[in-house]
Amino acid sequence: MSAPSLTQAQDEPAAAVQTGDDVAAADEVAEPNSNPDDKAAQLAGDRPQRASVVTGQGTMALQQQWPQSALWLEVDGADGTPTSVLSLVFTPLKNAATIGVVVLADEGHNAGEGFVTAFAGSLADRGLAALTLGLRAPTGGLKQVMERELPLSEVSPAVSTADEGQQPQPVAAGVAETSSNPDPDPMLIDVMAGTELSEAEVQYRQEVAAQLRAAVGYLKREGYPKVVIVGVGRGANFATALPELAGSAGLVWLLPKFYPRDLDVLAERFTETPRLRVLDVQAARGNRSQSAMQRTTVMNQVGVAQYQRQRVMVQEPVQAQQGDALASRLAAWIKADNKPAMD
């Protein structure tokens, strides 16, 4: 497969957003590429069949699209109950690989999303084993809280009301003023009125961390002692927060979108792992330049010696046809023997 120029990819018309019929009722989020006739799925289907592994939402659709690639990962749920998640793995057809890559998709995307599978398949073409994981979107109220951290002054304690049967509303009123939704999600009110990190958010983060651990563990058991973790978009938050990150062969932020809280504690994540290799791939054009500069400043202050930032000409959201070019960059970075240079 020839790698298209990233500059050319930016000038190409954006591919139509593919939305499947399989909808996660709890989150009310349409799952990308859940239609077996999806164009991106056809692109991936043109590849020779590999031993593969897949996690994410829309399990029935994923099994139909990748009938010989499905693998159930055993994961400990947030409440301690064992559960299984469906995940996809791409392994090289030639040469024995020693490096595995876990690719955590962007928020709301499953393991078979068009870009994720094109990216993972291209990594396998370059001699790397790649396992893809989906990232379930948080429910409406929790999503809003994670995206916008309210100042303490905006969260006031409940006040008594004349009618004892009426629930106090100060927090809900604050939400209505800052949200276009006139009827805030009850979870949003509960989370905002609670502690800094709500039980709902803790459980959600633990769920994603457990899936990452299961994916890393699987690759290592399969004979890939070195594992690089890639977080796409919102996935960068969870890849960075993984406690076992220090034992990985590297961390990649692929067009990252950090939550405010995660960006605030970024320095703490790397205090104990200053030698960790980190690749920060960001779009050359876009409205997140301030966040990118903040990340670079933090990494320099902490002294992460092997932090590298690369700016690329890609569309956002990233399209399936850009997967090969980005995989080429990542494979070169992973295999590089020399110390990455700061830009």
Side-chain angles (χ1 to χ4, degrees):
M1 178 186 298
S2 61
S5 164
L6 288 177
T7 303
Q8 290 176 344
Q10 203 274 343
D11 295 330
E12 294 172 355
V17 177
Q18 302 293 330
T19 303
D21 296 328
D22 187 12
V23 178
D27 295 338
E28 298 181 353
V29 176
E31 297 169 351
N33 300 330
S34 58
N35 187 337
D37 295 328
D38 183 271
K39 189 175 182 180
Q42 290 177 355
L43 175 64
D46 290 338
R47 296 180 180 280
Q49 289 293 332
R50 300 181 176 84
S52 293
V53 195
V54 190
T55 52
Q57 317 90 329
T59 55
M60 293 301 295
L62 286 176
Q63 286 180 329
Q64 292 174 6
Q65 293 174 26
W66 309 87
Q68 300 181 15
S69 301
L71 173 84
W72 289 98
L73 294 177
E74 298 301 320
V75 176
D76 291 331
D79 59 354
T81 304
T83 186
S84 299
V85 291
L86 188 64
S87 154
L88 279 179
V89 81
F90 298 81
T91 57
L93 293 175
K94 299 179 180 179
N95 302 327
T98 59
I99 300 176
V101 182
V102 174
V103 183
L104 180 61
D106 200 354
E107 178 183 275
H109 290 177
N110 62 28
E113 188 268 333
F115 166 74
V116 166
T117 52
F119 179 68
S122 293
L123 288 176
D125 288 342
R126 291 169 171 80
L128 301 168
L131 184 152
T132 65
L133 286 170
L135 179 58
R136 179 181 67 83
T139 54
L142 179 56
K143 179 179 174 66
Q144 292 180 52
V145 170
M146 293 176 71
E147 289 180 342
R148 180 181 181 275
E149 188 172 0
L150 293 175
L152 293 178
S153 59
E154 292 188 41
V155 182
S156 57
V159 295
S160 60
T161 60
D163 184 359
E164 294 181 357
Q166 179 181 357
Q167 294 295 324
Q169 299 296 324
V171 175
V175 175
E177 293 175 1
T178 58
S179 173
S180 59
N181 182 7
D183 299 312
D185 189 320
M187 178 187 288
L188 176 60
I189 299 173
D190 293 341
V191 170
M192 290 170 54
T195 59
E196 180 181 355
L197 203 63
S198 71
E199 181 179 356
E201 182 172 348
V202 169
Q203 290 182 350
Y204 176 67
R205 288 178 178 271
Q206 287 177 343
E207 172 190 317
V208 181
Q211 293 181 13
L212 283 170
R213 289 191 192 98
V216 171
Y218 173 83
L219 288 175
K220 289 188 174 182
R221 290 193 302 273
E222 289 298 303
Y224 306 104
K226 297 180 179 180
V227 178
V228 174
I229 302 175
V230 178
V232 182
R234 289 292 191 197
N237 295 275
F238 308 98
T240 307
L242 190 67
E244 294 83 359
L245 188 63
S248 70
L251 170 67
V252 179
W253 296 329
L254 192 52
L255 307 180
K257 293 178 286 187
F258 280 93
Y259 291 116
R261 183 188 292 111
D262 291 81
L263 194 58
D264 288 343
V265 300
L266 200 58
E268 299 175 18
R269 305 290 190 200
F270 296 95
T271 301
E272 303 298 327
T273 57
R275 299 300 304 172
L276 181 68
R277 297 188 70 204
V278 182
L279 178 63
D280 187 347
V281 181
Q282 56 194 243
R285 298 175 184 175
N287 57 2
R288 292 201 293 272
S289 58
Q290 184 64 36
S291 175
M293 290 303 299
Q294 185 175 349
R295 293 196 304 272
T296 302
T297 300
V298 168
M299 300 300 273
N300 287 336
Q301 289 176 341
V302 176
V304 180
Q306 299 194 72
Y307 168 73
Q308 182 181 7
R309 186 178 67 185
Q310 294 185 9
R311 290 180 287 267
V312 294
M313 297 292 289
V314 295
Q315 300 166 345
E316 291 191 84
V318 65
Q319 304 296 314
Q321 64 264 31
Q322 297 164 338
D324 187 67
L326 287 171
S328 177
R329 281 178 172 262
L330 178 58
W333 176 80
I334 289 176
K335 296 177 179 180
D337 294 328
N338 59 311
K339 177 181 176 182
M342 300 284 289
D343 72 344

